[in-house]
């Protein structure tokens, strides 16, 4: 009898606990995923220099005191919110022979910067006095045989200076470094959702890699020359949804120069390129995007505003205004559905650059039929003045027509907003009938977070929110 009573009480108590827990289900505790860490934590008490592996900890400040080496088989991870500070007077580099992972987040980006450098971002500022264009440290360099360089939600600022003694085999002593560079066709280069600010020359120049460059912002790339990204032989991949403003020469440039295999093959799509090409001091150079010297690929859905030239495809071995350029693999280059807004008659006459092989597409904006001659041949001279100031892309906040004295004066995003308004003529005018090359794995830590496909909207800020997140 006593056992029965005890059992009944136990059942009642159990039921009470069960119902009480059910009534508080909305108060579940959410446990955050721990930060990814490899090996030992790296101390902040000693400047970074020499061989290093392990983890640079979240929200900590590290000072670089010499060239840093991630050796073959080793991994260096940088956690969200870390600041890696360079002194600004030495071209120190991160030399990657193994794996380098800079894994910032939208809430906590990582910084590679020079804290003593003051940004000079006023419109029309003198570029000869701009620290962004002086190259105050070296770069993150993937040496021959490197495995991967994965950079996400990271600010790369003031890099790409002149080396003394080069720490890598593929850049000579005394030559200009690049903020990011690689030298192995089998290595992975991922740059996602990050910011590139300034460089003496090209901030990114890969001499071989499998490449995924998506949803980044590029400002002030190159002093009197330099692309946002200058791609050489042995590179295959995608360059998409990037915002590029004020590059010295082009946004992306593809070349097969260098003799490596495979042949350079780059898809450039859904990029927004603003006021680029104006610091390039050589005639016949500068512009928006470029294919030359045996490279191939696709270029669709790019939005260009007041760039010195429209998309350039080199179609003959010849001199263009005194500059020797070598023919691209024109049989394997396709493009169209590109948008070009201009505020001056001289650049309206270069929407399809004179002397180049860029083919008009009926779906380009402005429509080629509205300003090209009836029997237009790629490369011929034409009068494009009728499209000056037409087809405003209707950014949320950017002055069009531009009223500054020189179109190249604007080289930073600042308070501008290049998202499209709901009535923009760029919405719904893109082409989606191709796929990204997708040469890197999809992996939150060791690959691409997402390989974003082409959008039916033109530019890097499609209305579905799937593009650039800056």
């Amino acid at each position: 009898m006593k056992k029965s009573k005890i059992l009944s009480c136990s059942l009642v108590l159990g039921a009470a606990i069960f119902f009480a827990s059910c009534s508080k289900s909305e108060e579940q505790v959410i446990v955050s995923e721990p930060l990814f860490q490899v090996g030992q934590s790296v101390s902040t008490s000693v400047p970074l220099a020499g061989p290093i592996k392990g983890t640079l900890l979240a929200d900590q400040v590290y000072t670089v005191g010499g060239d840093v080496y991630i050796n073959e088989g080793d991994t260096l991870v940088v956690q969200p919110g870390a600041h890696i500070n360079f002194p600004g007077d030495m071209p120190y580099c991160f030399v990657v022979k193994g794996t380098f992972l800079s894994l910032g987040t939208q809430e906590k980006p990582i910084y590679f910067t020079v804290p003593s450098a003051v940004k000079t971002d006023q419109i029309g500022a003198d570029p000869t006095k701009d620290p962004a264009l002086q190259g105050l440290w070296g770069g993150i360099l993937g040496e021959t045989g490197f495995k991967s360089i994965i950079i996400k939600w990271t600010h790369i600022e003031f890099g790409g200076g002149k080396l003394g003694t080069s720490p890598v085999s593929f850049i000579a002593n005394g030559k200009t470094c690049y903020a990011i560079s690689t030298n192995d066709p089998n290595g992975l280069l991922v740059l996602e959702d990050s910011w590139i600010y300034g460089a003496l020359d090209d901030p990114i120049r890969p001499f071989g890699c499998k490449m995924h460059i998506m949803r980044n912002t590029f400002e002030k790339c190159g002093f009197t020359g330099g692309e946002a990204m200058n791609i050489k032989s042995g590179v295959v991949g995608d360059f998409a949804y990037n915002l590029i403003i004020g590059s010295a020469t082009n946004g992306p440039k593809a070349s097969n120069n260098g003799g490596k295999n495979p042949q350079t093959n780059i898809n450039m799509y859904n990029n927004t390129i603003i006021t680029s090409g104006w610091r390039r001091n050589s005639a016949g150079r500068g512009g928006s995007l470029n294919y030359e010297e045996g490279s191939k690929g696709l270029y669709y859905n790019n939005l260009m505003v007041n760039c010195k030239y429209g998309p350039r495809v080199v179609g003959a071995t010849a001199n263009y205004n005194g500059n020797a350029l070598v023919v691209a693999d024109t049989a394997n280059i396709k493009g169209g559905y590109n948008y070009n807004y201009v505020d001056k008659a001289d650049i309206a006459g270069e929407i399809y650059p004179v002397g180049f092989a860029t083919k008009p597409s009926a779906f380009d904006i402005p429509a080629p039929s509205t300003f090209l001659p009836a029997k237009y041949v790629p490369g011929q001279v034409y009068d494009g003045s009728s499209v000056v100031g037409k087809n405003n892309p209707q950014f949320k906040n950017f002055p069009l027509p531009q009223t500054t004295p020189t179109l190249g004066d604007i080289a930073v995003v600042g308070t501008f907003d290049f998202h499209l308004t709901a009535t923009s003529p760029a919405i719904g005018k893109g082409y989606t009938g191709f796929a990204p090359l997708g040469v890197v794995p999809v992996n939150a830590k060791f690959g691409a977070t997402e390989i974003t496909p082409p959008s039916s909207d033109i530019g890097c800020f499609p209305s579905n929110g799937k593009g650039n997140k800056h």
Side-chain angles (χ1 to χ4, degrees):
M1 191 70 174
K2 287 182 179 179
K3 287 182 179 180
S4 177
K5 287 182 178 180
I6 293 171
L7 180 59
S8 298
C9 290
S10 298
L11 290 171
V12 171
L13 180 60
I17 294 172
F18 173 78
F19 286 116
S21 64
C22 287
S23 67
K24 296 182 179 180
S25 62
E26 69 277 6
E27 299 178 10
Q28 293 177 358
V29 176
I30 299 174
V31 179
S32 299
E33 181 181 351
L35 292 176
F36 179 63
Q37 181 164 345
V38 171
Q40 297 295 314
S41 302
V42 178
S43 172
T44 61
S45 61
V46 179
L48 301 177
I52 294 178
K53 61 181 177 179
T55 302
L56 304 185
L57 295 176
D59 304 317
Q60 299 301 303
V61 177
Y62 292 86
T63 300
V64 180
D67 291 328
V68 173
Y69 294 84
I70 300 97
N71 286 329
E72 183 179 355
D74 289 344
T75 298
L76 181 65
V77 176
V78 187
Q79 291 182 338
H83 281 236
I84 293 81
N85 291 340
F86 294 83
D89 57 356
M90 293 295 291
Y92 295 142
C93 298
F94 275 59
V95 179
V96 183
K97 300 179 181 180
T99 297
F100 175 79
L101 308 173
S102 181
L103 304 178
T105 64
Q106 188 168 8
E107 296 74 24
K108 287 189 173 185
I110 292 164
Y111 281 80
F112 285 76
T113 191
V114 178
S116 61
V118 178
K119 291 185 177 181
T120 305
D121 289 346
Q122 294 80 9
I123 293 175
D126 183 356
T128 65
K129 299 177 181 179
D130 192 336
L133 304 175
Q134 295 172 8
L136 301 182
W137 58 282
I140 300 167
L141 309 177
E143 179 61 281
T144 307
F146 86 101
K147 184 175 181 181
S148 57
I149 294 174
I150 312 294
I151 301 174
K152 302 183 180 186
W153 291 104
T154 298
H155 290 259
I156 308 288
E157 301 179 335
F158 304 106
K162 282 188 177 295
L163 297 175
T165 301
S166 175
V168 292
S169 63
F170 57 96
I171 303 176
N173 294 340
K175 295 297 184 180
T176 299
C177 190
Y178 311 102
I180 300 172
S181 190
T182 60
N183 194 46
D184 197 304
N186 295 311
L188 301 183
L189 173 60
V190 171
L191 181 69
E192 282 188 339
D193 302 305
S194 293
W195 297 262
I196 305 295
Y197 179 86
L200 181 59
D201 197 345
D202 312 313
I204 307 180
R205 184 183 285 197
F207 296 94
C209 68
K210 297 177 181 178
M211 184 190 88
H212 167 84
I213 310 294
M214 283 198 181
R215 306 182 302 274
N216 305 288
T217 296
F218 295 82
E219 301 173 289
K220 293 186 177 182
C221 299
F223 176 37
T224 56
E227 272 81 17
M229 186 166 193
N230 189 343
I231 300 158
K232 301 303 182 183
S233 64
V235 180
V236 177
D238 298 296
F239 186 95
Y241 294 100
N242 299 292
L243 173 62
I244 303 159
I245 183 166
S247 289
T249 313
N250 295 287
K253 181 180 87 171
S255 165
N256 197 47
N257 177 277
K260 291 188 179 75
N261 290 318
Q263 177 187 5
T264 296
N265 183 12
I266 305 298
N267 283 0
M268 306 176 186
Y269 64 92
N270 282 103
N271 299 290
T272 297
I273 308 173
I274 309 293
T275 60
S276 289
W278 297 104
R279 286 194 308 282
R280 183 63 193 240
N281 56 7
S282 299
R285 298 276 190 168
S288 52
L289 60 87
N290 183 71
Y291 287 89
E292 64 181 57
E293 203 157 352
S295 63
K296 66 179 181 179
L298 307 177
Y299 63 102
Y300 287 101
N301 308 336
N302 298 289
L303 173 52
M304 296 149 285
V305 172
N306 283 331
C307 292
K308 190 174 181 181
Y309 294 92
R312 300 188 314 156
V313 177
V314 179
T317 302
N319 284 340
Y320 294 94
N321 293 326
N323 287 274
L325 299 175
V326 182
V327 62
D329 184 0
T330 55
N332 292 296
I333 295 174
K334 295 181 180 179
Y337 295 77
N338 295 295
Y339 194 126
N340 213 317
Y341 173 90
V342 297
D343 273 326
K344 293 178 64 179
D346 57 344
I347 57 175
E350 298 287 356
I351 289 175
Y352 302 105
V354 174
F356 289 81
T358 309
K359 295 179 180 179
S361 162
F363 300 97
D364 289 341
I365 299 176
S369 61
T370 64
F371 66 100
L372 292 180
K375 295 182 179 180
Y376 172 77
V377 176
Q380 79 175 77
V381 176
Y382 62 91
D383 180 6
S385 59
S386 63
V387 299
V388 171
K390 303 291 179 63
N391 302 297
N392 188 325
Q394 297 180 27
F395 295 127
K396 287 191 174 179
N397 177 27
F398 186 68
L400 292 177
Q402 280 185 245
T403 57
T404 52
T406 304
L407 294 183
D409 283 348
I410 297 176
V412 294
V413 175
T415 60
F416 300 131
D417 186 345
F418 295 98
H419 287 78
L420 303 174
T421 62
T423 57
S424 169
I427 292 177
K429 301 299 175 59
Y431 176 60
T432 60
F434 66 98
L437 291 172
V439 295
V440 304
V442 176
N443 186 288
K445 299 176 180 66
F446 296 97
T449 304
E450 175 189 308
I451 299 176
T452 310
S455 172
S456 58
D457 298 339
I458 296 176
C460 72
F461 292 110
S463 55
N464 63 8
K466 297 294 185 180
N468 194 304
K469 298 176 176 60
H470 295 162

